[in-house]
């Protein structure tokens, strides 16, 4: 076989491997209504945990018991958890109107918490000497940030209750 022939075979193998790997990711799963609600509740539980960890992080940073870089790392981890929760909700194929509504409410709630965690990172950066003075998204105080977080957390708790979670 010539070099060109081997290249064609290699390209074919790569294409088949990529298609095989992505096909499993694109197939929608069929779930029963109770399973879909449980999936929504699981994602919202993850978002609730991220909100609580954010609250603790902000309180510790505000009290001077945590350094800026450590707080930023903790908040970045919470953004990753929220991204996972959002991915779980966006990839869910609801089997009925009730679970579709639960998913929509959950997506809004997760988005609200995500916004607050992003603002918490900016607040932490400003507190650590970053040049964010005057940025409209940066809360002026930890108390303001925690109030925003409490409001967003209430949304997650309500959505979680609607989905049948704890």
């Amino acid at each position: 076989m010539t070099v060109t022939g081997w290249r064609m075979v290699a390209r074919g193998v790569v294409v088949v491997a990529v298609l095989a790997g992505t096909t499993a990711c694109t197939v929608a799963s069929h779930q029963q209504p109770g399973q879909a609600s449980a999936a929504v509740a699981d994602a919202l539980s993850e978002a609730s945990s991220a909100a609580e960890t954010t609250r603790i992080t902000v309180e510790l940073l505000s009290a001077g018991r945590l350094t800026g870089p450590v707080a930023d790392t903790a908040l970045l981890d919470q953004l990753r958890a929220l991204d996972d929760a959002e991915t779980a909700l966006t990839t869910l194929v609801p089997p009925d109107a009730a679970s579709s509504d639960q998913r929509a409410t959950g997506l809004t709630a997760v988005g609200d918490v995500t916004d607050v965690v992003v603002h918490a990172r900016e607040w932490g950066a400003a507190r650590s000497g970053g040049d964010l003075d005057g940025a409209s998204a940066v809360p002026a105080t930890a108390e303001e940030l925690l109030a925003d977080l409490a409001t967003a957390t209430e949304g997650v708790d309500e959505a979680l209750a609607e989905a049948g979670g704890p």
Side-chain angles (χ1 to χ4, degrees):
M1 193 179 271
T2 66
V3 173
T4 304
W6 283 109
R7 286 184 186 157
M8 295 287 281
V9 170
R11 285 183 188 153
V13 169
V14 169
V15 168
V16 169
V18 169
L19 288 175
T22 59
T23 301
C25 298
T26 60
V27 175
S29 64
H30 178 71
Q31 294 183 327
Q32 298 300 318
Q35 292 171 320
S37 293
V40 170
D42 287 347
L44 290 168
S45 291
E46 191 171 342
S48 180
S49 176
E52 180 63 16
T53 302
T54 297
R55 182 191 63 75
I56 292 167
T57 301
V58 169
E59 287 177 350
L60 290 174
L61 182 60
S62 177
R65 297 177 52 203
L66 201 59
T67 65
V70 171
D72 188 62
T73 299
L75 294 172
L76 186 57
D77 286 345
Q78 301 326 300
L79 286 174
R80 288 185 184 114
L82 290 164
D83 184 50
D84 289 346
E86 182 179 30
T87 298
L89 292 171
T90 58
T91 58
L92 175 67
V93 180
D96 61 359
S99 57
S100 179
D101 291 345
Q102 292 167 356
R103 181 186 68 163
T105 301
L107 281 167
T108 299
V110 170
D112 291 345
V113 171
T114 300
D115 288 346
V116 176
V117 177
V118 168
H119 295 160
R121 285 190 74 213
E122 292 174 334
W123 174 80
R127 192 174 185 285
S128 297
D131 189 16
L132 291 166
D133 289 336
S136 61
V138 179
T141 64
E143 291 76 21
E144 183 181 333
L145 180 61
L146 291 170
D148 291 346
L149 183 61
T151 300
T153 302
E154 285 175 24
V156 169
D157 292 343
E158 289 170 9
L160 185 56
E162 181 182 317

